[in-house]
């Protein structure tokens, strides 16, 4: 029985040593697990720090990107305004020629009107509008101002001032530039057509007035000749007969 007890003791001692070895292994595994957990926590903290740094850099990049976009938009708007302001000077060849032709034609019409008026006024062929028997500045004013009164001229000046202010506002707003070329061409065509029609009408009217003047001259000569023959025959008009009867 002593040997059995010794064997039992040895067995128990071996089990105790084996249990101690298992417990030491478990402690080592636990320590390794705790170390891995700590390492994972450190890695997580480092990742969170890097994520926070990345978020901060992203916010800074977004701010710089927005600033660059705003600057780019402002630069584009400034360039657009500059191009719009310089558009009449850098327009296409057709548009430039339309401006040149229309402007030259209007200048030519004004010069012809001025030269014709000055010539007529200098040669005393203008109409005596005020009926004072001579040609003066008042007659020239009536011819140039279409015989308008002072109030009418003042109202026209107000209308032209408002129109000029509206044109300036539309020009500054870059609205009217794109309509100038068609407006100029339409004005040019209308002016040419009106000038042609006026020339044709005035020519026919002048010929009609010349024929009417010739007819009136012939009528006056016939009247003078008929009156001379009646006077030679001693036959007067009823008024003259009454006058001679009263004299008797």
């Amino acid at each position: 029985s002593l040997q059995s007890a010794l064997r039992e003791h040895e067995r128990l001692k071996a089990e105790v040593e084996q249990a101690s070895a298992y417990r030491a292994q478990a402690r080592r595994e636990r320590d390794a697990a705790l170390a891995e957990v700590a390492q994972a926590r450190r890695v997580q903290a480092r990742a969170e720090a890097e994520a926070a740094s990345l978020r901060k850099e992203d916010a800074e990049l977004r701010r710089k990107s927005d600033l660059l976009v705003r600057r780019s938009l402002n630069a584009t708007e400034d360039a657009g305004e500059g191009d719009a302001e310089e558009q009449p000077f850098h327009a296409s060849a057709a548009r430039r020629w339309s401006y040149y032709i229309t402007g030259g034609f209007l200048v030519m019409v004004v010069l012809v009107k001025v030269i014709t008026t000055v010539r007529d006024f200098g040669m005393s062929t203008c109409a005596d509008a005020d009926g004072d028997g001579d040609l003066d500045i008042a007659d020239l004013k009536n011819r140039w101002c279409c015989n308008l009164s002072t109030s009418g001229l003042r109202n026209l000046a107000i209308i032209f001032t408002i129109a000029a202010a509206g044109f300036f506002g539309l020009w500054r707003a870059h609205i009217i530039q794109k309509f100038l070329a068609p407006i100029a061409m339409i004005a040019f065509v209308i002016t040419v057509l009106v000038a042609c029609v006026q020339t044709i009408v005035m020519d026919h009217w002048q010929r009609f007035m010349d024929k009417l003047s010739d007819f009136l001259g012939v009528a006056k000569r016939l009247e003078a000749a008929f009156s001379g023959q009646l006077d030679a025959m001693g036959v007067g008009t009823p008024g003259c007969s009454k006058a001679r009867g009263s004299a008797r």
Side-chain angles (χ1 to χ4, degrees):
S1 70
L2 181 60
Q3 290 179 353
S4 297
L6 288 173
R7 285 194 298 271
E8 185 66 23
H9 177 70
E10 290 295 334
R11 187 179 62 79
L12 291 174
K13 185 178 179 180
E15 290 179 357
V16 169
E17 289 177 357
Q18 187 178 3
S20 297
Y22 288 158
R23 186 171 57 193
Q25 181 67 25
R27 286 179 180 176
R28 286 193 299 272
E29 291 178 357
R30 186 189 64 183
D31 293 339
L34 291 176
E36 290 178 358
V37 170
Q39 181 67 21
R41 288 179 178 176
R42 287 194 297 271
V43 171
Q44 183 180 4
R46 188 167 57 251
E48 290 178 355
E50 291 178 356
S53 178
L54 290 174
R55 285 194 294 270
K56 184 177 180 180
E57 291 179 0
D58 182 68
E60 183 68 19
L61 290 175
R62 287 177 181 273
R63 187 182 65 81
K64 291 182 179 180
S65 177
D66 294 338
L67 182 60
L68 290 175
V69 169
R70 286 195 297 270
R71 289 180 179 177
S72 177
L73 291 177
N74 292 332
T76 303
E77 291 178 357
D78 294 339
E81 292 179 359
D83 294 340
E85 291 178 357
E86 296 178 358
Q87 183 177 2
F89 302 98
H90 300 281
S92 62
R95 181 169 295 182
R96 285 199 304 270
W97 277 106
S98 66
Y99 293 155
Y100 296 156
I101 293 173
T102 306
F105 185 78
L106 293 177
V107 171
M108 183 180 67
V109 170
V110 173
L111 288 177
V112 169
K113 180 68 175 177
V114 172
I115 293 173
T116 304
T117 304
V118 172
R119 184 197 62 185
D120 294 341
F121 186 76
M123 297 177 62
S124 299
T125 57
C126 291
D128 186 11
D130 52 6
D132 56 355
D134 59 349
L135 297 177
D136 50 12
I137 300 299
D139 299 326
L140 188 63
K141 178 181 177 182
N142 289 329
R143 179 167 182 176
W144 271 94
C145 299
C146 300
N147 201 18
L148 293 175
S149 62
T150 304
S151 61
L153 294 176
R154 183 177 63 250
N155 294 332
L156 282 179
I158 294 173
I159 293 173
F160 288 151
T161 303
I162 295 174
F167 182 84
F168 179 76
L170 293 174
W171 182 275
R172 294 295 299 173
H174 309 296
I175 296 175
I176 202 170
Q177 282 85 345
K178 57 185 177 181
F179 298 105
L180 285 180
I183 289 175
M185 292 305 299
I186 291 172
F188 173 74
V189 173
I190 291 176
T191 305
V192 172
L193 291 177
V194 170
C196 293
V197 172
Q198 181 182 7
T199 302
I200 295 172
V201 172
M202 291 300 295
D203 182 71
H204 286 284
W205 178 258
Q206 186 64 36
R207 284 191 285 178
F208 173 74
M209 292 301 295
D210 292 340
K211 291 181 179 179
L212 182 61
S213 178
D214 294 339
F215 176 77
L216 292 177
V218 171
K220 287 181 179 179
R221 287 195 297 271
L222 290 176
E223 182 181 2
F226 187 69
S227 299
Q229 290 180 0
L230 290 179
D231 292 336
M233 294 172 60
V235 179
T237 59
C240 296
S241 301
K242 289 183 179 179
R244 284 194 293 268
S246 60
R248 289 177 183 177

